[in-house]
């Protein structure tokens, strides 16, 4: 293996930033293995967060989903489901960790800015400036049935609401002047008169008038993350975010193209290119040798895509129930039917099933794949497989060429799935000078090397 | 017959019950909003032997004159406190007047998970019109509408806690199913002003349902676990507890504002010092005790057997909590008027409350029986 010459790359001093994404809902977290633990026990969260902190990660992430997923006419049963409210869980982790950032994915469609901004500011203070907010909208009106508002907003209006939401949140976080709290018990009042402002906002989405209840934290504001891949989503990130949680981190060319696209959007809105960190979600499978890593990957994929999972995914693609078929046999001979209802119910949605099935057939025939193998091979690409040294070389290249600023890693096992990465990969990265050897700051903003909040 | 021991709760919001309490706090004003200060206060309450702490809240800042005082959200504080203590129950105030009951349910269920079964909920009401403006929602006005929102919110929250049966996560490798969808339930709540589908996104809390505390009369007593009662005198407080029990409240706690003599100053002097800045307005639904630690012990001895517990609201936390922990609680424990929570207990266990079965659970009992039990519970 040849080592990249660090002087011959656009970003010789690049450092990788790692986050851990504690997935609550998916079929990628293997639950069937004896070593897999509870997905809800607080001990699982603490174990993962502390391991990540030992590995000098920037952040611990939680996702969000406000309705339990459905498939085949009922609650989706096959995969991990059920998770805590993220800000509540992260507030507990604030007490059990020292340095790692604590990032909550929170939806702007079914929250209100005065309330959510306050909750995030509280987490930020309790953690000494380690809070982050992954701003998401939602795809489906179906989620709205759990809220007073009902279905409520069209997809087209969701980023508009998100943008206005964020500007109210920022006003709430900026509501207290520096030194707004009295210095001593003899002062005229607890807060310096006039130092706590009022936030009044009347826009298309909100009509609010409130007195913010908290001063700034050690990092000023919670760090803003964005996850959403459309042009609108990327523009929203370019205008507003500190970090993008992307889905482009497996193939180098794809990652670089995404990063270039984002940098173009940053330039277009007048922000410096280094104002934003790009951390794609990924999975990392490590083996002592390339062969061992491949064998491990095979095991991981078969555990993730069980015959039932494969048939479930195929049922949603074909548009009718395929349970009872042989997942290890050929693809169903029938043509897919286009479902009348195009909602996702939180599970997979396919825009043009005919075209996808045709592609699957062609690839399966050419390679001799079973249905299950086809689902594994042609499903979303899941990340990186290799030896610690090989992966470290690869990641150094990704970072030094500006394709990514790091990764948001989803362990395929909870709670021990990060151990290999922290114990084996991190030292290799450190040796190559592409990963920190100690935390140099105390806040999430400092970990990410972001400019201070004005 | 030995009288049942009192359960002891203490309110930990801010610097104390007096609006000017911060002037006598043992720290600089801004320190109130730090994790260190929260950890210290919670540790003091846990070490003293309290079973439960409550944390007041609102989207509006607590006012001191015209200038706001800072306050971190009660759920965030409760989760932080839960993670830095081991036996203490934690009960934030949350109002469903404007908040989404779906979120409230998830937050409290999660608090129960992070605390391994030590969560409670003080049902709140946002009755200040400024809260509607802060939330950006249409004003809910009048006692009737406020009570309706509290009641509907409580029903949705409880049903969502029940919407996952205890054993809904089956991890059946043989069938490749993580969940059993038959043990997950839509709640299909349809109230006067909104509907909620369910099920919850959070698995059933360790206690089944976190302990629900509510001011007597706010919501149907049978839907709560602890009625918070009080009156201007011990006799009226005992009578209010009797009324709550007759209405179906499993437990009644007396709310008592306390200002205690410290080694350096009498309680009356301490109050007078703070009254220079702001009045400590009395409430007809709360008892107030001012004086020595011995006197408070005597008052609590008088109430034991008439109420199931007390929630103390100290004048100044930094001062009164230390007198409570050195002179009051030890005496109550010695005299067996109260007990400390046992390590490993859930809050329900500490309070002697049964762990409720999900109202949706089919279990071995017939469906019809479960429905009948529910009807009894709702109409009691
Ligand atoms: C990597 C990634 C992670 C996401 N995580 C969440 C999540 O946890 N919860 C959620 O509601 N939406 C999540 N989303 C969805 C987005 O917030 C957004 O609603 C969706 O992508 C549609 O927006 P788009 O059209 O811009 O892609 C995620 C999206 C991406 C790309």
């Amino acid at each position: 293996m040849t080592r990249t010459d660090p002087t011959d790359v656009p970003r010789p001093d690049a450092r990788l930033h790692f986050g851990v994404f504690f997935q609550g809902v998916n079929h990628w977290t293997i639950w069937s293995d004896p070593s897999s633990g509870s997905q809800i026990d607080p001990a699982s969260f603490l174990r993962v967060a502390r391991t990540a902190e030992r590995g000098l990660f920037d952040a611990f992430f939680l996702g969000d989903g406000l309705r339990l997923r459905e498939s085949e006419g009922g609650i989706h049963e096959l995969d991990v489901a059920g998770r805590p409210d993220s800000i509540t869980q992260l507030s507990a982790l604030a007490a059990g960790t020292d340095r790692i950032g604590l990032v909550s994915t929170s939806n702007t469609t079914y929250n209100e800015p005065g309330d959510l901004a306050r909750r995030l500011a509280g987490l930020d203070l309790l953690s000494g400036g380690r809070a982050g907010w992954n701003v998401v909208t939602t795809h489906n009106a179906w989620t709205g049935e759990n809220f007073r508002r009902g279905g409520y907003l069209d997809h087209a209006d969701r980023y508009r609401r998100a943008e206005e939401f964020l500007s109210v949140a920022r006003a709430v976080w900026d509501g207290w002047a520096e030194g707004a709290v009295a210095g001593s018990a003899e002062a005229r009042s607890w807060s310096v008169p006039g130092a706590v402002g009022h936030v009044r906002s009347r826009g298309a989405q909100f009509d609010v008038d409130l007195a913010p209840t908290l001063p700034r934290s050690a990092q000023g504001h919670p760090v803003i993350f964005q996850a959403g891949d459309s042009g609108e989503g990327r523009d929203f990130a370019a205008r507003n975010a500190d970090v993008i949680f992307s889905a482009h981190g497996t193939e180098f060319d794809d990652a670089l193209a995404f990063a270039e696209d984002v940098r173009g959007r940053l330039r277009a809105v007048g922000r410096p290119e280094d104002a934003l960190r790009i951390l794609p979600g990924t999975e990392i499978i490590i083996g002592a040798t390339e062969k061992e890593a491949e064998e491990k990957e095979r095991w991981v994929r078969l555990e993730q895509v069980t015959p039932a999972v494969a048939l479930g995914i195929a049922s949603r693609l074909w548009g009718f129930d395929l349970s009872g078929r042989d997942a290890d046999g050929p693809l169903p001979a029938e043509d897919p039917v286009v479902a009348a209802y195009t909602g996702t119910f939180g599970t997979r949605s396919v825009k043009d099933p005919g075209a996808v099935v045709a592609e699957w057939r062609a690839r399966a025939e050419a390679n001799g794949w079973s249905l299950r193998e086809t689902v594994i091979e042609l499903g979303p690409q899941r990340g990186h497989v290799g030896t610690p040294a090989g992966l470290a070389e690869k990641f150094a290249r990704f970072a030094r060429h500006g394709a990514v600023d790091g990764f948001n890693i989803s362990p395929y096992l909870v709670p021990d799935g990060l151990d290999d990465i922290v114990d084996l990969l991190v030292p290799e990265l450190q040796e190559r000078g592409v990963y920190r050897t100690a935390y140099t700051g105390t806040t999430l903003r400092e970990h990410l090397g972001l400019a201070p909040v004005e | 017959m030995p009288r049942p021991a009192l359960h002891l709760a203490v309110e930990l919001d801010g610097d104390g019950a007096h609006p000017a309490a911060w002037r006598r706090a043992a720290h600089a004003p801004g320190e109130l909003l730090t994790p260190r200060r929260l950890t210290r206060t919670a540790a003091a309450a846990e070490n003293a032997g309290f079973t439960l702490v409550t944390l007041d809240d609102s989207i509006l800042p607590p006012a001191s004159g015209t200038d706001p005082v800072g306050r971190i959200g009660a759920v965030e504080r409760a989760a932080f406190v839960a993670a830095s203590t081991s036996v203490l129950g934690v009960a934030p105030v949350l109002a469903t007047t404007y908040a989404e009951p779906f979120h409230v349910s998830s937050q409290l269920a999660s608090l129960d998970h992070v605390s391994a079964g030590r969560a409670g909920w003080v049902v709140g009401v946002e009755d200040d019109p400024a809260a509607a403006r802060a939330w950006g929602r249409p004003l809910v006005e009048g006692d009737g509408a406020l009570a309706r929102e509290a009641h509907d919110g409580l029903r949705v929250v409880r049903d969502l806690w029940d919407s996952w049966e205890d054993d809904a996560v089956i991890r059946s490798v043989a069938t490749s199913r993580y969940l059993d969808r038959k043990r997950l339930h839509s709640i299909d709540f349809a109230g006067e002003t909104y509907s909620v589908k369910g099920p919850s996104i959070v698995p059933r809390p360790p206690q089944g349902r976190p302990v629900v505390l509510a001011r007597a009369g706010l919501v149907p007593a049978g839907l709560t676990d602890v009625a918070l009662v009080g009156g201007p005198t011990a006799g009226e407080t005992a009578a209010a507890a009797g009324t709550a029990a007759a209405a179906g409240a499993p437990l009644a706690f007396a709310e008592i504002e306390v200002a205690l003599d410290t080694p350096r100053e009498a309680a009356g002097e301490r109050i007078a010092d703070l009254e220079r800045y702001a009045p400590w307005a009395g409430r007809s639904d709360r008892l107030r005790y001012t004086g020595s630690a011995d006197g408070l012990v005597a008052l609590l001895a008088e109430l034991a057997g008439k109420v199931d517990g007390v929630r103390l609201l100290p004048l100044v936390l930094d001062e009164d909590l230390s007198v409570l922990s050195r002179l009051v609680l030890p005496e109550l424990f010695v005299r067996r008027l109260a007990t400390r929570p046992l390590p490993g207990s859930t809050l329900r266990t500490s309070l002697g409350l049964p762990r409720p079965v999900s109202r949706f659970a089919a279990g071995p009992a017939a469906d019809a029986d479960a429905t009948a039990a529910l009807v009894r519970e709702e109409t009691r």
Side-chain angles (χ1 to χ4, degrees), chain B residues 140-221:
Chain B
V140 176
E141 214 173 358
D143 289 346
L146 288 165
R148 180 197 65 220
E149 293 304 315
H151 183 186
D152 283 0
L154 172 55
R155 282 167 56 197
V156 170
V157 167
R158 279 169 51 107
D159 280 0
L160 287 168
W161 291 339
D162 280 355
S163 68
W164 289 57
E165 294 183 34
D166 290 321
D167 53 0
V169 175
I170 52 171
R171 289 178 173 248
S172 162
V173 177
T175 63
S176 199
R177 289 184 311 151
Y178 182 81
L179 299 175
D180 178 1
R181 61 166 63 145
K182 290 205 249 359
R183 301 177 207 188
L184 291 161
H185 306 275
S186 297
I187 68 163
D188 292 319
F189 173 84
E192 271 179 65
T193 55
Y194 63 93
S195 59
V196 176
K197 183 77 184 164
S200 178
I201 50 165
V202 188
R204 188 161 165 83
Q207 295 184 94
R209 298 177 200 143
V211 173
V212 177
L213 302 92
R215 200 182 72 223
L218 174 64
V219 286

Side-chain angles (χ1 to χ4, degrees), chain A residues 37 85 110 118 146 148 185 187 191, chain B residues 23 57 68 96 103 110 171 198:
Chain A
D85 173 77
Y110 297 108
R118 176 169 184 260
N146 282 333
R148 293 176 200 251
S191 45
Chain B
R23 294 184 183 275
D57 206 12
T96 55
H103 289 318
S110 303
R171 289 178 173 248

Side-chain angles (χ1 to χ4, degrees), chain A residues 16 248-253 255 384 393-404 407:
Chain A
L16 284 157
H248 301 270
T250 307
E251 304 300 334
F252 178 84
D253 292 343
H384 301 275
E393 274 304 299
K394 185 175 172 188
F395 291 166
R397 174 169 173 256
F398 269 63
R400 287 178 176 145
H401 283 87
V404 306
F407 293 100

Side-chain angles (χ1 to χ4, degrees), chain A residues 21 62-65 83 105 107 134-139 155 159 226-234 245-247 281:
Chain A
F21 188 47
L62 290 173
D64 182 45
R83 53 169 145 210
T105 299
N107 187 303
N134 182 27
V135 181
V136 295
T137 57
T138 182
H139 313 261
H155 192 256
Y159 277 111
Q226 182 272 357
D229 203 26
S230 62
E232 270 178 302
R234 295 180 191 191
F245 176 16
S246 88

